[in-house]
Amino acid sequence: MSTILITGGTGYIGSHVAKELITAGHKVILFDTNEMGHAEVLTYLPGAQLVVGDIADSDLIIKTVKENSVTAVIHLAAYTLVGESVEDPAKYYLNNTAKAVQFLEVIRSTGIDKLIFSSTAAVYGEPQYSPIDEQHPFSPTNPYGQTKLIFEKILQDYERAYGLRSISLRFFCAAGADPDGDLGEDQTPETHLIPLTIFTALGYRPSLTVHGTDYPTPDGTAVRDFIHVNDLARAHVLALNALENGAKSTAYNLGTGKGYSVREIIETTQKITNSQFKVVDSTRRPGDPVQLVASSDRIQRELGWEPKYSDLETIIRTAYTWFSTHPKGYSGNSK
Ligand SMILES: NC(=O)c1ccc[n+]([C@@H]2O[C@H](COP(=O)([O-])OP(=O)(O)OC[C@H]3O[C@@H](n4cnc5c(N)ncnc54)[C@H](O)[C@@H]3O)[C@@H](O)[C@H]2O)c1
């Protein structure tokens, strides 16, 4: 059994990753400020420990790593809102890059040589072809994507110079909730399409706005590749196994290879929730790519990963179960 430090561990993806690691027999330590995460996730993570702190708190990181004999790190802590990163890039470069490099340096000083990093489809920017594979050129269109790309490049240098091996997982759109019903998404502000669609179906919002109805897609709305959060979580376990077995640093896309349009999401949600909610068509948002679909062939081939929960119905059904049983999230005062 190895002990894994998960930064951002009380967040949406971090909590699901923690559960998957525990199921796979690892000990996990969640490290999070809880600014965006929720301490309540611990209830559903048997044996997990929570350390509340900032990744920039070097003394606390060293203490946590030493006291628990941590052998690998999963680094998910970050700010994640694309629009906010355009309005306030300093906040993003400071947290996702500057603090992250300081954190990486502290991790290196403790002798840890394995790290998994949550990167994003945003490193690619506007797609030049589809589906997007790992060879696709990088051209982030916002500071959020830049921060992730910079950190990926730093990780490459860290392997070359110091032997710290890492796997960057470039998530496309994470969605869905733990099929057991224990964990789910509780983000404020909520900006993701599937939660917003379900909130509208549940009557938490009066209507759903569709941004852009004149894209060159079959129904005119933007197309995205949604991946169930449990499939993402399993990829972390496989990536960790690979590093433990000596894999070299690399990066993998994580999506399903199938895109769904905004209208398809709305129609499927209306069917599953049996609700005909109000939909308002609006103009495109600047910087929103027409279509983002991943080729995940490499991770399937090299790590044996395959999506199990990422069909659209399962994604929406599990998310709907979570949101309808947790109308106010974990703590009862969000949303
Ligand atoms: N949700 C998606 O669709 C998606 C897609 C691509 C990449 N990602 C990446 O996955 C990771 C997790 O995303 P999420 O959706 O779970 O977001 P989230 O906001 O739920 O989780 C991020 C967690 O990091 C914590 N955090 C932020 N800064 C910190 C700091 N300095 N020190 C300690 N903790 C800190 C927050 O409190 C939060 O709990 C992020 O790195 C994000 O960029 C997410």
Side-chain angles (χ1 to χ4, degrees):
M1 180 169 73
S2 46
T3 302
I4 316 299
L5 183 76
I6 309 177
T7 73
T10 61
Y12 169 46
I13 298 172
S15 55
H16 288 78
V17 169
K19 188 167 176 181
E20 197 75 26
L21 284 168
I22 292 167
T23 306
H26 297 285
K27 184 167 180 274
V28 301
I29 299 172
L30 316 181
F31 192 96
D32 202 301
T33 53
N34 288 339
E35 179 186 350
M36 310 299 279
H38 305 274
E40 291 84 349
V41 301
L42 264 192
T43 316
Y44 308 103
L45 302 174
Q49 188 188 329
L50 169 62
V51 178
V52 179
D54 194 296
I55 55 167
D57 187 341
S58 304
D59 292 343
L60 186 58
I61 298 278
I62 291 172
K63 182 170 176 286
T64 306
V65 166
K66 295 238 158 104
E67 280 182 1
N68 297 283
S69 306
V70 170
T71 52
V73 170
I74 296 185
H75 177 46
L76 292 134
Y79 292 142
T80 66
L81 303 175
V82 168
E84 185 182 60
S85 81
V86 175
E87 284 158 24
D88 190 3
K91 178 174 174 181
Y92 280 71
Y93 285 112
L94 184 62
N95 199 40
N96 297 6
T97 309
K99 283 187 182 182
V101 180
Q102 183 183 322
F103 168 74
L104 184 62
E105 190 48 18
V106 169
I107 286 301
R108 180 172 82 89
S109 77
T110 66
I112 289 176
D113 62 355
K114 294 179 280 300
L115 183 142
I116 296 167
F117 173 54
S118 54
S119 188
T120 166
V123 298
Y124 297 115
E126 188 68 48
Q128 296 178 14
Y129 58 84
S130 186
I132 299 171
D133 58 21
E134 289 83 357
Q135 275 69 53
H136 189 285
F138 300 121
S139 186
T141 54
N142 52 66
Y144 167 70
Q146 290 282 12
T147 65
K148 295 284 180 176
L149 183 57
I150 293 167
F151 197 70
E152 277 201 35
K153 290 186 184 295
I154 292 169
L155 287 174
Q156 290 169 9
D157 291 339
Y158 262 63
E159 177 178 33
R160 236 182 337 263
Y162 311 125
L164 194 155
R165 290 171 298 119
S166 62
I167 294 182
S168 295
L169 298 174
R170 297 179 189 139
F171 311 160
F172 280 59
C173 298
D178 174 15
D180 294 344
D182 292 340
L183 303 168
E185 184 170 345
D186 180 4
Q187 296 183 326
T188 308
E190 181 56 75
T191 58
H192 297 118
L193 175 66
I194 289 179
L196 292 178
T197 308
I198 294 173
F199 290 172
T200 318
L202 286 167
Y204 305 163
R205 295 166 62 95
S207 61
L208 183 81
T209 304
V210 177
H211 296 284
T213 56
D214 58 350
Y215 284 108
T217 58
D219 65 21
T221 64
V223 169
R224 294 290 180 268
D225 187 340
F226 295 91
I227 173 161
H228 193 282
V229 64
N230 280 54
D231 286 333
L232 276 186
R234 215 175 44 265
H236 287 75
V237 175
L238 295 172
L240 182 66
N241 292 345
L243 289 176
E244 286 179 341
N245 291 326
K248 288 198 172 307
S249 294
T250 192
Y252 293 112
N253 286 347
L254 271 173
T256 64
K258 176 152 177 48
Y260 291 98
S261 73
V262 175
R263 289 253 191 263
E264 286 176 299
I265 300 298
I266 293 170
E267 277 159 22
T268 310
T269 305
Q270 289 185 327
K271 193 181 83 193
I272 287 173
T273 62
N274 199 20
S275 153
Q276 289 302 313
F277 50 82
K278 187 174 171 197
V279 175
V280 178
D281 288 349
S282 180
T283 51
R284 297 182 187 192
R285 280 184 305 209
D288 263 355
V290 178
Q291 166 161 306
L292 281 177
V293 178
S295 163
S296 295
D297 290 355
R298 253 194 78 219
I299 192 165
Q300 300 207 20
R301 205 172 51 242
E302 294 182 9
L303 301 191
W305 175 82
E306 56 181 27
K308 288 192 180 152
Y309 300 98
S310 293
D311 60 283
L312 191 56
E313 291 234 352
T314 304
I315 286 177
I316 294 179
R317 235 175 250 291
T318 54
Y320 178 60
T321 301
W322 163 259
F323 288 123
S324 48
T325 53
H326 299 77
K328 299 194 168 173
Y330 284 108
S331 55
N333 54 18
S334 46
K335 278 180 235 11

